[in-house]
Amino acid sequence: MITTHEKRALGIVLVCGCYMMYSLHYATMKWMGNLFGVWQLLFIRSIVMVFATIMMKPSVCREVIRSPYKGATAVRALFQIACTFCFFAAAKLMPLGQVTTLYAAAPVIIVLLAIPILGEEVGKASWAAVVLGMIGTVIAANPTGSLNPVPTLLAFASGIFWALAVIYTRKAATRESTQAQLLTTGCVFCLVSGLLMDWTTPANWFEIGMCAILGIEILLAQMLFFEGYRFAPASVLAPLEYQSLIWVSILGFVMFGDVPTIHTVVGATLIVTAGILLTLYGNTRKPVMR
């Protein structure tokens, strides 16, 4: 029998793997951005995820059709799409560091929403980890200049939409199987991105293979995400999103030759400290689902 502490530890490990895979996925998308548009990349990865999910569990289509929770899962997918749109719209109008800083409010919003919506008990250590991680993210992003109201609101809205998506994941994680959530999410992304994309045909087998890898990456990232939130409270897992900055810095150096600045090093140090604080002293009480 797995104890509550062991479930929480397993959830932390799975979500850490999730954000590592998400970082690799976004680095791959950045690399492929010169070949295809963003909406087409989202469409391709979603198609791959849908077919891979059906192959893993052929009965998942019937499960989704019969599920009374597919509507909530679809709403969460719309939150994820809105998050993506707002983030990239803001990134076109302001420096990426400023967008990242505002988007970094998402874990704080998750902790705040987890209290009234999920009835979770948030301990002092979790609050300390959130604050420390926020400080580290701001230092690493190194924002400069004044903020334009429109992109500022878009970037902050991106964080809110992501927080809502995470809350919906935690609320429905124990009601539907991971495969059912993957299929519903993938179908919603296919529908929306398919309507908005401008199609460019891959030129060779290498590009086709990279498109397949893109889909596998998002499939693994979302599987780890759904499974992680099945085992641990949202208020415990939310601050772990800060570690994405570490993975992005590593991948940026390996794939694009980006050398981390002193701000990134200092920020990453604070983020790692926040993760250790959360793991060692985070809340272990079982949440009361409302």
Side-chain angles (χ1 to χ4, degrees):
M1 186 66 179
I2 302 179
T3 65
T4 300
H5 179 75
E6 291 172 337
K7 286 182 178 180
R8 186 175 69 96
L10 178 59
I12 290 173
V13 171
L14 291 173
V15 169
C16 284
C18 156
Y19 288 122
M20 178 184 69
M21 189 57 62
Y22 262 125
S23 301
L24 177 61
H25 174 70
Y26 287 127
T28 305
M29 282 195 66
K30 177 181 178 180
W31 184 82
M32 296 180 67
N34 295 326
L35 303 174
F36 309 102
V38 174
W39 286 114
Q40 181 176 342
L41 292 175
L42 292 176
F43 178 80
I44 291 174
R45 76 174 196 180
S46 302
I47 282 289
V48 174
M49 184 172 72
V50 166
F51 279 102
T53 302
I54 295 175
M55 291 178 63
M56 286 189 300
K57 188 177 182 181
S59 63
V60 68
C61 294
R62 186 168 56 253
E63 180 183 342
V64 169
I65 293 174
R66 295 178 178 177
S67 173
Y69 307 111
K70 57 181 177 290
T73 305
V75 170
R76 183 189 61 219
L78 292 175
F79 284 143
Q80 290 178 293
I81 294 174
C83 169
T84 303
F85 170 78
C86 290
F87 186 90
F88 284 106
K92 291 181 179 180
L93 301 173
M94 66 190 303
L96 188 59
Q98 293 177 328
V99 179
T100 304
T101 301
L102 294 169
Y103 173 80
V108 176
I109 300 171
I110 292 171
V111 172
L112 295 175
L113 292 178
I115 299 172
I117 296 178
L118 302 179
E120 294 183 357
E121 296 285 345
V122 179
K124 294 181 179 180
S126 293
W127 285 115
V130 168
V131 173
L132 193 61
M134 278 288 292
I135 295 173
T137 302
V138 171
I139 293 176
N142 188 27
T144 59
S146 60
L147 296 179
N148 192 327
V150 174
T152 297
L153 291 175
L154 284 171
F156 189 70
S158 177
I160 294 176
F161 283 128
W162 177 247
L164 289 171
V166 171
I167 291 296
Y168 260 76
T169 298
R170 177 58 181 164
K171 198 171 182 63
T174 58
R175 298 175 178 177
E176 279 194 310
S177 68
T178 295
Q179 290 80 8
Q181 295 181 74
L182 286 173
L183 182 61
T184 303
T185 302
C187 288
V188 173
F189 263 84
C190 283
L191 178 62
V192 176
S193 59
L195 292 173
L196 297 175
M197 71 175 179
D198 292 322
W199 179 261
T200 300
T201 304
N204 49 53
W205 284 106
F206 175 76
E207 292 183 4
I208 294 175
M210 290 303 300
C211 290
I213 290 175
L214 196 67
I216 294 173
E217 288 173 350
I218 193 61
L219 174 68
L220 293 175
Q222 297 236 21
M223 285 181 64
L224 293 170
F225 181 76
F226 292 144
E227 287 296 319
Y229 275 86
R230 191 185 299 275
F231 289 104
S235 54
V236 170
L237 298 179
L240 295 177
E241 186 172 352
Y242 294 123
Q243 70 174 283
S244 296
L245 188 58
I246 302 174
W247 295 116
V248 167
S249 299
I250 295 174
L251 291 170
F253 176 75
V254 174
M255 297 179 65
F256 307 107
D258 298 334
V259 179
T261 64
I262 186 62
H263 298 89
T264 301
V265 174
V266 174
T269 302
L270 293 178
I271 292 168
V272 171
T273 303
I276 295 175
L277 176 65
L278 179 68
T279 303
L280 295 178
Y281 305 107
N283 172 48
T284 59
R285 293 185 61 182
K286 184 178 179 180
V288 179
M289 301 297 290
R290 290 179 182 173

